[in-house]
Amino acid sequence: MTAFKAACIQMRSGRDVEANIATAERLVRAAADAGASYALTPEMTNLLERDRAALFTKIACEADDPTLKRLRALARELGIWLHIGSLAIRLGEETVANRGYLITPEGEIAARYDKIHMFDVDLDNGESWRESRTYQPGEISPVVDLPWAKLGMAICYDVRFPQIFRGQAKAGAQVLTVPAAFTRQTGQAHWHVLLRSRAIENGAYVIAAAQGGRHEDRRETFGHSLIVAPWGEVIAEADHDEPGYIMAEIDPAEVDKARTRVPAIANERVFTFQTVAPAQTEPAS
């Protein structure tokens, strides 16, 4: 398999779907002009809206979603693989999917991924999130054949569940993806170390396109889109939270080298857990 250039598109999606589409199109075009043959957009490319009622007035089912239509056409026009990190897609009257799409250079949908792990968290700065109240979690973790490498799909909070990425690596994935809208607080503490850890433990590239900055719904996201090499070094980073793109060369041969140097996947063994209670002793008389 040959090397290719991959791009992360960093955005600050707001409440205006059309404006978000325009930003995504502009940045993807710029990355393609710079030589990217694969581009990843962040989680919730089409819309960031915390108000549940407002969210439902702005989203559509997959067949009618304007962002998906436009970005499929853009991939076809540019002749690139376009990975839409995720869109809010209506499933029914009360449910939504946080769904990623991998689009072929012909504009076809090669794979879909619904975020598996819901961000139900109370942070110590007062932020509270309950994704499970609105979003329906997925159950399938896809690994997709690209012309250059096998790619695993995940979204944001999934990065804290390493079993997904190990499973993808064992299924042959050489590139792991984490489009995200990481909160600023958790991003400052954990973003880099989590992404580098997933790369190191699996001997794989990690590509993570992020939302960044203060959004119209008042949330703040961390930005700092990253591309990490299989040995754990950061090979591209947006060291800010502004919209833009980063790019790096992805060489599957580097995956083989890392997995040969430390064959953690090959050395993995099945084991069981055992809880042991200390033996009780009679009290001294």
Side-chain angles (χ1 to χ4, degrees):
M1 292 186 174
T2 58
F4 66 101
K5 288 187 177 180
C8 284
I9 308 301
Q10 185 159 290
M11 296 179 62
R12 187 177 294 158
S13 295
R15 288 170 158 159
D16 184 333
V17 172
E18 181 59 36
N20 297 333
I21 294 172
T23 298
E25 286 184 328
R26 174 176 60 83
L27 293 173
V28 170
R29 284 183 187 279
D33 288 345
S37 49
Y38 163 92
L40 173 65
T41 69
E43 181 182 24
M44 290 296 163
T45 292
N46 61 337
L47 180 69
L48 272 175
E49 176 57 80
R50 295 186 71 173
D51 184 272
R52 194 172 189 276
L55 175 70
F56 275 91
T57 67
K58 296 176 181 179
I59 61 174
C61 65
E62 181 177 288
D64 298 326
D65 185 80
T67 309
L68 181 58
K69 288 180 179 179
R70 293 266 289 277
L71 294 184
R72 288 181 65 182
L74 182 64
R76 184 168 55 249
E77 175 194 338
L78 299 175
I80 66 169
W81 286 82
L82 181 50
H83 185 168
I84 306 169
S86 84
L87 305 174
I89 297 291
R90 181 188 286 272
L91 298 179
E93 291 301 314
E94 298 293 329
T95 55
V96 183
N98 186 346
R99 180 172 293 171
Y101 294 90
L102 187 60
I103 310 300
T104 72
E106 294 73 39
E108 300 300 321
I109 299 172
R112 298 169 175 83
Y113 170 67
D114 288 0
K115 185 177 181 180
I116 291 173
H117 294 100
M118 300 289 97
F119 192 53
D120 290 357
V121 175
D122 297 310
L123 300 176
D124 58 14
N125 66 352
E127 289 184 65
S128 182
W129 301 90
R130 291 293 181 274
E131 286 186 342
S132 62
R133 291 177 180 168
T134 301
Y135 294 93
Q136 180 172 302
E139 298 179 346
I140 297 173
S141 174
V143 173
V144 189
D145 281 313
L146 298 184
W148 323 278
K150 290 181 180 290
L151 177 141
M153 299 172 69
I155 297 172
C156 199
Y157 191 44
D158 287 333
V159 76
R160 294 182 182 273
F161 300 85
Q163 61 270 30
I164 288 183
F165 303 92
R166 176 47 60 92
Q168 291 177 350
K170 290 174 73 173
Q174 298 145 303
V175 178
L176 309 174
T177 58
V178 191
F182 243 64
T183 67
R184 181 172 299 280
Q185 182 187 19
T186 58
Q188 288 172 334
H190 298 150
W191 176 248
H192 288 76
V193 69
L194 285 170
L195 293 170
R196 293 187 66 203
S197 295
R198 299 297 83 84
I200 292 166
E201 67 201 9
N202 294 298
Y205 284 95
V206 172
I207 302 176
Q211 296 280 355
R214 187 169 181 84
H215 301 263
E216 291 177 326
D217 69 351
R218 300 186 307 280
R219 83 180 75 196
E220 286 191 80
T221 54
F222 185 55
H224 291 263
S225 296
L226 290 181
I227 301 177
V228 185
W231 200 242
E233 64 271 32
V234 174
I235 56 175
E237 177 178 1
D239 59 352
H240 52 75
D241 61 13
E242 295 295 324
Y245 73 89
I246 60 171
M247 194 160 62
E249 182 174 272
I250 308 299
D251 185 355
E254 294 300 314
V255 175
D256 295 337
K257 289 179 184 178
R259 291 177 179 176
T260 298
R261 292 170 76 182
V262 180
I265 296 173
N267 292 160
E268 188 171 277
R269 291 174 55 84
V270 175
F271 60 93
T272 59
F273 291 96
Q274 181 182 47
T275 301
V276 179
Q280 299 296 314
T281 58
E282 293 295 326
S285 57

